[in-house]
Amino acid sequence: MTQNQSATNQPLIEVRDLKQYFPVLVGMFRTKPLKAVDGVSFSIRKGETLGLVGESGCGKTTVGRTLLHLYKPTGGEILYNGQPVQSKADIDAFRKKATMVFQDPYSSLNPRMTVSDIIGEPLDIHKLYATQEERREKILELMSRVGLNSEHAARYAHEFSGGQRQRIGIARALALNPDFIVCDEPVSALDVSIQAQVINMFDELQEQMGLTYLFIAHDILVVRHISDRIAVMYLGKMVELADAAEIYERPLHPYTKSLMSAVPQPDPKTARANKRIVLTGDIPSPLNAPSGCPFRTRCAYATDACAEAMPEFQEVSKGHFAACHRIAETN
C-alpha cells in the first residue's frame, strides 16, 4: 500500500482465466472435477497489495498456491513481468522472486530444525552464499528485519509463541529477496493484539523492500487495512474487484454487500443504523455447484436468468468490476 504511488501500469503479476480442478472419486472407477478455482482473472501492479477475501472453502488459498505452481494449474495463464510462467525453467526462476507466508505458524515450520536452519533453507537450496560466515550474516540480518534477536537462531520453533513463529516464517519468505509474496491468512491463527504487530510489519517491509503482496484473508477489516484493492471470491469465482475504499463504501455485488454488512461498526449510532444482510442456506459444494451464477441459491435478487448463465465479470465503473446479471437494478 505504501508503494502505491510508485506502482507502474505494467502488472508485476497477471492471472488470466485461472482454473484449478481436483478429481474426486464418486464411484468405483468414476471421478468428478471439484472446481476449486474456476476462471479467475486479476493483475497486481508492482508495490501494490491485492486483498483476496471470501468465506472458507471459496478457493482463496488454492488461488495463491496455484499461482506459485504448488499445484499445477488445470487451465489459464500466469504471467510475471509480462512473461508467461509455463516451463520448469520459468517456474524455477519465478520461485526465486515469488514466495509464500503460510497460514499456520505451528505446522509450517519443521520442529526438528533450528530457527537458523529454517530461515537459511532457501539460501541452501539456491546456493546463495559463498561461506558459512556469509550464510550466518544473511540469516541474522533477516531475523533482525522481522524483529527476532540473534540469540533465537539456535532455538527450535516449539520454543516460540505464535507471533514469533510467524515472524520466522516471514523471515524465511524474505530470504531470497523476493518481489512478490503470497500471504495466505498470515494473521488468522494469531491473537488480535499480535495481529496488528504482524500487519504493521508487512507494511514496513513493503515500504523498505518494494514488495508486492497477494494478501488472502477472511477478515475484511484486516484486508481493508493493508490492501490497495480488494477482490471478493465465492465458490471458485471472482464476483467483485475494486479499490479498497470503493468496495468498502460502495459494494455492488449482493454477496459483497452481505460481507460488508457484517463488519462491526465502532460508532454505536452507525451500528444501530447498519442493516445486517443475513444470507440464507449453506454454501453449495464446489463438487455440485449451481448452474449459472454460483451465488444464486442464496441471493435475494436471483431470477431464472441467473440459473442460465454465469454473469460476465465486467467493469461497472472505472476500476470497479463485478459479476452480476442484475447489477444495474440492485444499485
Side-chain angles (χ1 to χ4, degrees):
M1 187 158 55
T2 48
Q3 294 281 318
N4 198 32
Q5 293 83 356
S6 61
T8 60
N9 292 327
Q10 165 70 40
L12 180 74
I13 300 290
E14 203 169 347
V15 173
R16 296 175 182 168
D17 199 28
L18 188 67
K19 293 183 173 73
Q20 185 62 62
Y21 300 170
F22 298 107
V24 175
L25 202 63
V26 291
M28 189 67 80
F29 302 107
R30 217 157 46 85
T31 62
K32 189 175 181 180
L34 186 150
K35 299 180 178 181
V37 178
D38 194 15
V40 165
S41 300
F42 59 87
S43 61
I44 313 174
R45 295 185 298 274
K46 184 163 178 58
E48 182 185 37
T49 300
L50 177 69
L52 189 58
V53 298
E55 292 169 277
S56 296
C58 73
K60 310 184 296 293
T61 293
T62 307
V63 167
R65 294 188 174 209
T66 306
L67 205 164
L68 294 181
H69 283 265
L70 300 181
Y71 301 140
K72 186 180 179 184
T74 306
E77 200 174 15
I78 297 158
L79 292 90
Y80 171 68
N81 267 334
Q83 300 301 312
V85 181
Q86 291 173 328
S87 67
K88 188 177 185 303
D90 294 338
I91 295 166
D92 289 345
F94 180 49
R95 282 185 179 159
K96 288 181 183 177
K97 288 296 176 186
T99 57
M100 189 165 191
V101 175
F102 295 92
Q103 175 177 0
D104 186 0
Y106 297 88
S107 62
S108 63
L109 304 177
N110 190 329
R112 294 182 181 83
M113 292 170 74
T114 63
V115 169
S116 176
D117 287 339
I118 289 169
I119 296 171
E121 191 174 23
L123 302 174
D124 299 338
I125 291 167
H126 295 283
K127 299 177 175 56
L128 295 179
Y129 55 87
T131 64
Q132 285 298 315
E133 184 56 35
E134 187 187 347
R135 178 183 185 270
R136 177 175 160 75
E137 282 176 12
K138 285 188 174 184
I139 290 167
L140 292 179
E141 185 194 337
L142 288 163
M143 290 178 68
S144 171
R145 203 178 269 276
V146 298
L148 293 170
N149 300 325
S150 56
E151 56 262 31
H152 291 152
R155 294 193 197 170
Y156 291 87
H158 69 83
E159 299 177 54
F160 294 89
S161 67
Q164 286 174 315
R165 289 186 209 192
Q166 196 58 289
R167 287 171 189 267
I168 296 166
I170 293 165
R172 177 179 60 187
L174 295 173
L176 299 179
N177 195 24
D179 290 335
F180 175 62
I181 300 180
V182 173
C183 307
D184 180 18
E185 305 224 24
V187 296
S188 64
L190 307 178
D191 292 342
V192 174
S193 57
I194 306 298
Q195 284 185 5
Q197 293 174 20
V198 173
I199 289 166
N200 289 337
M201 186 173 68
F202 274 117
D203 266 340
E204 287 163 16
L205 289 169
Q206 186 174 46
E207 190 167 338
Q208 292 163 10
M209 302 175 71
L211 294 167
T212 304
Y213 295 138
L214 174 64
F215 198 94
I216 298 165
H218 60 264
D219 187 335
I220 208 145
L221 283 176
V222 168
V223 172
R224 188 197 180 197
H225 177 77
I226 198 168
S227 303
D228 295 299
R229 291 184 300 142
I230 295 175
V232 182
M233 275 188 75
Y234 183 83
L235 211 65
K237 293 189 180 288
M238 196 171 283
V239 296
E240 191 159 0
L241 171 65
D243 287 345
E246 168 86 0
I247 212 164
Y248 199 84
E249 301 296 334
R250 199 173 71 91
L252 297 178
H253 195 279
Y255 176 61
T256 314
K257 287 178 180 179
S258 173
L259 285 183
M260 293 303 171
S261 75
V263 174
Q265 299 289 339
D267 178 28
K269 283 185 180 176
T270 313
R272 278 195 293 271
N274 183 42
K275 289 186 174 64
R276 178 78 197 274
I277 302 168
V278 181
L279 299 177
T280 56
D282 297 323
I283 305 177
S285 164
L287 200 57
N288 297 296
S291 62
C293 175
F295 185 61
R296 68 177 176 79
T297 56
R298 302 172 77 194
C299 180
Y301 307 107
T303 64
D304 292 344
C306 300
E308 290 166 14
M310 173 64 194
E312 186 187 343
F313 192 64
Q314 59 186 342
E315 192 167 16
V316 182
S317 59
K318 187 171 172 54
H320 196 151
F321 298 81
C324 179
H325 286 303
R326 304 193 62 198
I327 207 94
E329 302 160 56
T330 58
N331 289 284

